[in-house]
Amino acid sequence: MWDVAEELKAMLVFAEHRYYGESLPFGADSFKDSRHLNFLTSEQALADFAELIKHLRRTIPGVEDQPVIAIGGSYGGMLAAWFRMKYPHAVVGALAASAPIWQFEDLVPCDTFMKIVTTDFRRSGPNCAESIRRSWDAINRLSVAGSGLQWLTQTLHLCDPLTLEDIPRFKEWISETWVNLAMMDYPYESSFMQPLPAWPIKVVCQYLKNPNVSDLLLLQNIFQALNVYYNYSGQAKCLNISETATSNLGILGWSYQACTEMVMPFCANGIDDMFEPFLWNLKQFSDECFSQWGVRPRPSWIITQYGGKNISSHSNIVFSNGDLDPWSGGGVTKDISATLVAITIAEGAHHLDLRANSAYDPASVLRARSLEVQHMKQWIRDFHSHARRQR
Amino acid sequence: MWDVAEELKAMLVFAEHRYYGESLPFGADSFKDSRHLNFLTSEQALADFAELIKHLRRTIPGVEDQPVIAIGGSYGGMLAAWFRMKYPHAVVGALAASAPIWQFEDLVPCDTFMKIVTTDFRRSGPNCAESIRRSWDAINRLSVAGSGLQWLTQTLHLCDPLTLEDIPRFKEWISETWVNLAMMDYPYESSFMQPLPAWPIKVVCQYLKNPNVSDLLLLQNIFQALNVYYNYSGQAKCLNISETATSNLGILGWSYQACTEMVMPFCANGIDDMFEPFLWNLKQFSDECFSQWGVRPRPSWIITQYGGKNISSHSNIVFSNGDLDPWSGGGVTKDISATLVAITIAEGAHHLDLRANSAYDPASVLRARSLEVQHMKQWIRDFHSHARRQR
């Protein structure tokens, strides 16, 4: 983005979403109860951006009549797309990178996400996905065997002793690790959720070449693989199954949003994917939300609000997706119209295109960035020629 | 609308805006304080319409995949236009009749409205506007003269004795009467705010032919003119200066909305119009809002939210306006694009086009209705051909 801003001679503004980082509307009370969380919605965030742009126009010399482009990745990409949809007068266009705007209700099958994760592992090493698939039963067997829990605790260097009640969370933690690796499968070293080597799934898969081994050996291999994610630095004393990311990405705020608007159904069947099968259970999810936040989700609201797949009357949005990114399953990966355009990045993980230029960038992301800039320039040209006609 | 619905073989649904009529979210407490009024916003109304359409689609057989058109007049017309702008996936188009979406901040001069009222009176009879213009000073003079207040009370058959403190409100009440007559200047008898004769301003102006008379005679004539509005039925025992309309049009709800989002600047200069000059005073308005509702207006929010004059990226909205309607001054009266279309009705008052067919309909409104139906049919055709391409 820095490079693109320079090329476009543009100002780059990072807006912090309310309730994230330091933007706490009620200070320390912001997460106290649902009353204080009432202002944490995507609509409110979009309204904030509209006000911010107006404020910048009023206060920064030379900015008043300049075109603005919305850019974001992941949830930020959804917001970028929705902002152009809801406030087309405020921005000439939007780049929505890895924005799963269709990961809601039944717009896409709930197992799409886990299938893409699995495909990444399948392609990154022989028997890799199969080894992972077999690990769940190995864990199940060990967890009820004599000293199995103790063995797992020691072998995986867990910070806290594993109990039988921990097992569901333990398997979830491992699953999340594979998911995060799929999102972060970048062609170079990175440190988004954890410090990682280049093409981390390939590194992980080097430990998972043989699924036909004993439970103990399989899980020793799994530990080596997990270590790529949790201990690339070699500094980790132990692994903590309540954490999958080092940095605070606003887990609390997102948890509330997931319990209100951002209801994204996920599932796995264990056949087309390498995960232990699980269903999407809205009832159970809703009950958990109610006990945690005192609210219940409105699973169809995002579609009512933002149109679901019926968005063809909008314009000037580029949706970019990496084929390696599990979120691409809920993204827009085919052109909707001449000005609602999909760009796919064959070798891209989660919003690779928004990351800084690198010597290791694959050709696919270079092409994507170049196309994105072409669209931005076109929006700006259209804006200026429209402004000229208005005079 | 009934006729158009029949022609289009359409279902006609009247949605009641929350906080109006029987739609009180907190029952009797709905207007208790600003906390209970927090849900009275145009955004919330639009969201309600989106939910309502989804509900109708789910519950009424045969409706699921049918195109929907938003239709409204006045504030309802603003909502129709804004609904198509914000929820273009929910409706194929909108007919926004007499919708003053630009009567905000400085999008149009604040005296436009009163100028149009004045033009209506000027055209409806010789010296009519001039007689009204002179009446303000006549009232001012009488109100400080010996038995002037008593004379005014008797001559105008007021229900309550006029005091010196009442005079500003008294003049406002008369002004509002002229404004309402301009809005309701229909070519046939009607009873929207009050029972009225056909072309009521012409009737009013028969009493106001001579401005060069004594204050007493001028105000006797004004009383005859006011009586056209307040006593067409001949049943009124006295005139009540705290009321200008018979039916409850949701004065309370609108007063709150005017104090939050719907901040419409009005003014008069007494030269280009027939009113006593007054300025638009946001500070004073804001203080009144604060004392009445405990809120302060956000005068630029509607423009931030709905784009002001920068709405060209939207589509499929017909804006209709009557040239006699003072609200046309804040309306869209020129085409913005091939699909954002303005229709003007030379002989039309406030949303004449939405009223039932009448033998007295002027040619201009017949033409307008026919154009409106043409656009609606085009939207429906486009919708079906788009749906066919999707299959």
Side-chain angles (χ1 to χ4, degrees), chain B residues 19-92:
Chain B
Y19 290 89
Y20 290 85
E22 297 168 27
S23 300
L24 301 173
F26 299 102
D29 289 343
S30 298
F31 287 93
K32 200 170 138 191
D33 53 37
S34 60
R35 221 158 53 84
H36 289 84
L37 282 158
N38 238 346
F39 300 90
L40 174 50
T41 68
S42 63
E43 286 169 270
Q44 183 61 63
L46 300 184
D48 288 344
F49 300 155
E51 290 285 5
L52 173 62
I53 290 172
K54 263 193 140 171
H55 176 76
L56 296 174
R57 287 190 185 288
R58 262 197 310 264
T59 52
I60 298 178
V63 168
E64 191 174 350
D65 303 317
Q66 292 301 308
V68 177
I69 294 173
I71 298 175
S74 202
Y75 173 45
M78 297 160 72
L79 292 172
W82 292 337
F83 192 58
R84 170 64 190 172
M85 293 182 196
K86 295 293 188 184
Y87 296 83
H89 53 279
V91 285
V92 298

Side-chain angles (χ1 to χ4, degrees), chain B residues 237-258:
Chain B
K237 295 268 181 297
C238 59
L239 306 192
N240 179 353
I241 70 162
S242 64
E243 276 177 16
T244 57
T246 46
S247 57
N248 182 1
L249 286 168
I251 299 298
L252 211 54
W254 185 255
S255 152
Y256 174 80
Q257 288 197 266

Side-chain angles (χ1 to χ4, degrees), chain A residues 185-189 197-204 324 347-348 360 362:
Chain A
D185 199 22
Y186 296 129
Y188 42 70
E189 286 198 335
W199 296 120
I201 300 186
K202 271 190 197 152
V203 181
V204 158
L324 306 181
E347 293 138 310
Y360 299 98

Side-chain angles (χ1 to χ4, degrees), chain A residues 35 38-39 43 47 50-51 54 58 84-90 105 298 300-301 303-308 310-315 386, chain B residues 35 38-39 43 47 50-51 54 58 84-90 105 298 300-301 303-308 310-315 386:
Chain A
R35 222 157 54 85
N38 238 346
F39 301 91
E43 285 170 271
E51 290 285 5
K54 264 195 141 173
R58 262 197 309 264
R84 170 65 190 171
M85 293 181 196
K86 294 293 188 184
Y87 295 83
H89 53 279
E105 278 203 308
R298 290 180 296 171
S300 54
W301 173 240
I303 298 179
T304 305
Q305 167 84 325
Y306 300 112
N310 185 359
I311 58 174
S312 60
S313 69
H314 300 288
S315 62
H386 184 79
Chain B
R35 221 158 53 84
N38 238 346
F39 300 90
E43 286 169 270
E51 290 285 5
K54 263 193 140 171
R58 262 197 310 264
R84 170 64 190 172
M85 293 182 196
K86 295 293 188 184
Y87 296 83
H89 53 279
E105 278 205 306
R298 290 179 295 171
S300 54
W301 172 240
I303 297 178
T304 305
Q305 167 84 325
Y306 301 113
N310 185 0
I311 57 175
S312 59
S313 69
H314 300 288
S315 62
H386 184 80

Side-chain angles (χ1 to χ4, degrees), chain B residues 131-174:
Chain B
S131 298
I132 290 171
R133 192 207 313 276
R134 296 202 183 182
S135 69
W136 312 116
D137 274 348
I139 293 169
N140 292 341
R141 281 187 293 265
L142 266 174
S143 64
V144 292
S147 56
L149 290 168
Q150 202 187 333
W151 184 88
L152 279 169
T153 303
Q154 280 167 4
T155 307
L156 276 74
H157 293 235
L158 302 184
C159 298
D160 299 302
L162 208 58
T163 69
L164 193 56
E165 292 73 55
D166 292 334
I167 292 297
R169 171 68 207 141
F170 175 63
K171 289 185 288 188
E172 217 176 278
W173 171 74
I174 297 176

Side-chain angles (χ1 to χ4, degrees), chain A residues 70 76 78 115 174 176 375-376 387:
Chain A
M78 297 160 73
K115 270 184 182 167
I174 297 175
E176 274 176 37
H375 283 286
M376 291 184 199

